[in-house]
Amino acid sequence: MFKCEMCGSDSEIGETLTKVVVVTRKKEYESFQRADGTRDRGGMGIEIAREVSGHERCAKALQVELLVAAPPTPVFADTAMYTSDIAPGSAPFNGVHVQ
């Protein structure tokens, strides 16, 4: 059992916990030397800054609210890739991007 962070009520026995990403931020990873001597070149991407957990019905409602409030934004300005393209079949992320 769990307490829904979106509505505050307790779950029913056997109900599935669902997480919704509400805030992301850009992240730049620096290059580094691995223990085996190879070099990782680093890069940039997006990481989760805040997510909420709760009932599936509350999560779906929150995703709809986020979609209406802010349409999907490109992951990188120079590409046509959207956050919904990262995980095929998953719901698109429509939360807040922080700098």
Side-chain angles (χ1 to χ4, degrees):
M1 290 185 57
F2 57 87
K3 184 175 240 22
C4 179
E5 293 179 6
M6 292 165 263
C7 71
S9 65
D10 292 329
S11 68
E12 300 293 323
I13 295 174
E15 192 171 7
T16 305
L17 176 75
T18 305
K19 294 186 176 197
V20 178
V21 175
V22 292
V23 179
T24 61
R25 60 179 164 242
K26 290 181 182 178
K27 176 70 176 177
E28 197 166 318
Y29 301 95
E30 301 203 11
S31 63
F32 64 93
Q33 185 83 24
R34 293 187 179 163
D36 64 359
T38 60
R39 186 126 191 101
D40 186 294
R41 62 185 174 95
M44 53 188 304
I46 292 180
E47 67 180 15
I48 295 170
R50 175 144 164 48
E51 66 183 3
V52 292
S53 305
H55 303 111
E56 187 174 0
R57 64 185 176 274
C58 294
K60 286 181 180 179
L62 179 58
Q63 286 175 336
V64 168
E65 287 177 31
L66 292 172
L67 181 60
V68 169
T73 56
V75 174
F76 303 107
D78 60 342
T79 69
M81 186 172 133
Y82 289 82
T83 52
S84 58
D85 298 332
I86 293 174
S90 66
F93 170 75
N94 294 301
V96 178
H97 296 278
V98 294
Q99 299 292 344

